[in-house]
Amino acid sequence: MYHQLKNFAKGLLPDSFLRANEERLRHLAALPYTGNTYQCNCCGIRLRKFVLLKSGDALCPRCGSLPRSRRLWHILNQELDIMGLSILHFSPPKVLADLLRNGDAAEYLTTDFAGEFTADRHYDITAINEAEGRFDLIVCYHVLEHIPDDRAAMRELLRVLKPGGLCLIQTPFREGAIYEDPAVITPAERLRAFGQEDHVRIYSQIGLTERLRTAGFRVMAITYPPNHKYGWRGGETVLFAEKRG
């Protein structure tokens, strides 16, 4: 039903109207899904079910959050103390940007190079236009697999972190070694090789960890169990990459 309503609205209403009334339209789209079995920890809505996407991910019909965003918000809101921190967030989903902008951080700066997300800046991650040691915390979720020179990106992430600062990193993972091939350049080739048309590699957890360590980070990988209530599947791994003090 969610997809039918979304397609109907897109086909009938102009984009300007959809953007101006997004909150109201999401409230309406979520009504058939309300209940008491599940809950979105980003927007707080209680649901009888999530919207199941073709990928198998559970989408919140109210705020549009995916499991990785709900897990990230849990980390930022429950596992870490972000009060008074300076945060840089790459390619931020709107629901997380709204939560963090209204939260306890001293500074929250968003950036998206490609213009796919609403953001304060449009930094090239391989040449971040910020001073050395600028941020306490960086969120870099599902970004590095898009970057041809990921080693340069890692060096820049390290540079703009304060000593003792933390970078939260997540990408898709495969077993074995990192797979990348600069000869794979067309969208169709990249889809077959890396799982998405705009990806340039697929990491392994071990491979990405070692690449981050070579860049100078201290890295801890945490793989989280499932959480039925919040719609998180098990096996999701987040890398906690710390700049040595």
Side-chain angles (χ1 to χ4, degrees):
M1 180 177 292
Y2 175 86
H3 299 293
Q4 288 89 337
L5 288 171
K6 183 177 179 179
N7 292 334
F8 176 78
K10 281 188 172 183
L12 182 67
L13 302 170
D15 289 343
S16 57
F17 180 88
L18 293 174
R19 286 192 297 270
N21 295 275
E22 181 179 0
E23 290 297 313
R24 294 176 182 175
L25 293 170
R26 283 195 175 278
H27 274 290
L28 290 173
L31 287 176
Y33 293 88
T34 56
N36 292 301
T37 305
Y38 304 96
Q39 185 175 11
C40 174
N41 65 314
C42 287
C43 67
I45 191 173
R46 295 183 179 274
L47 302 164
R48 65 180 181 86
K49 65 177 182 178
F50 285 99
V51 178
L52 187 63
L53 302 180
K54 290 181 180 179
S55 63
D57 283 334
L59 176 83
C60 173
R62 171 64 186 85
C63 69
S65 66
L66 292 170
R68 69 193 190 211
S69 293
R70 296 193 293 275
R71 167 64 72 186
L72 175 57
W73 177 237
H74 175 83
I75 293 169
L76 294 169
N77 190 43
Q78 300 294 324
E79 297 183 11
L80 300 177
D81 182 3
I82 65 171
M83 181 176 290
L85 299 187
S86 178
I87 301 174
L88 177 63
H89 194 169
F90 285 86
S91 303
K94 183 180 184 301
V95 61
L96 288 180
D98 290 344
L99 287 167
L100 288 164
R101 202 176 301 282
N102 295 313
D104 295 326
E107 179 187 23
Y108 177 65
L109 187 67
T110 60
T111 177
D112 182 62
F113 184 69
E116 296 178 5
F117 297 82
T118 301
D120 305 309
R121 303 286 190 272
H122 302 285
Y123 292 148
D124 177 351
I125 195 173
T126 66
I128 302 170
N129 187 25
E130 290 288 351
E132 183 173 345
R134 172 83 163 76
F135 299 100
D136 299 290
L137 176 66
I138 297 175
V139 179
C140 186
Y141 260 45
H142 293 262
V143 174
L144 291 176
E145 67 271 23
H146 298 265
I147 309 301
D149 192 354
D150 64 333
R151 289 177 174 87
M154 293 173 195
R155 290 193 296 269
E156 279 292 274
L157 292 172
L158 186 75
R159 182 185 66 80
V160 300
L161 268 179
K162 295 178 181 178
L166 185 66
C167 186
L168 300 178
I169 297 173
Q170 190 182 77
T171 74
F173 289 125
R174 58 171 290 188
E175 296 295 325
I178 296 173
Y179 175 56
E180 53 192 342
D181 183 351
V184 176
I185 56 175
T186 69
E189 290 172 338
R190 287 176 171 174
L191 177 63
R192 288 193 297 271
F194 310 128
Q196 194 164 308
E197 293 178 348
D198 55 352
H199 287 186
V200 297
R201 72 182 59 80
I202 182 165
Y203 291 103
S204 66
Q205 179 186 319
I206 293 174
L208 179 53
T209 297
E210 287 305 312
R211 201 166 281 192
L212 288 164
R213 285 174 176 162
T214 299
F217 286 99
R218 180 187 293 114
V219 184
M220 178 175 64
I222 297 180
T223 300
Y224 288 90
N227 186 304
H228 179 75
K229 179 179 179 180
Y230 295 126
W232 304 331
R233 292 183 293 183
E236 181 183 5
T237 299
V238 179
L239 301 185
F240 291 69
E242 181 183 5
K243 182 173 181 177
R244 295 181 177 91

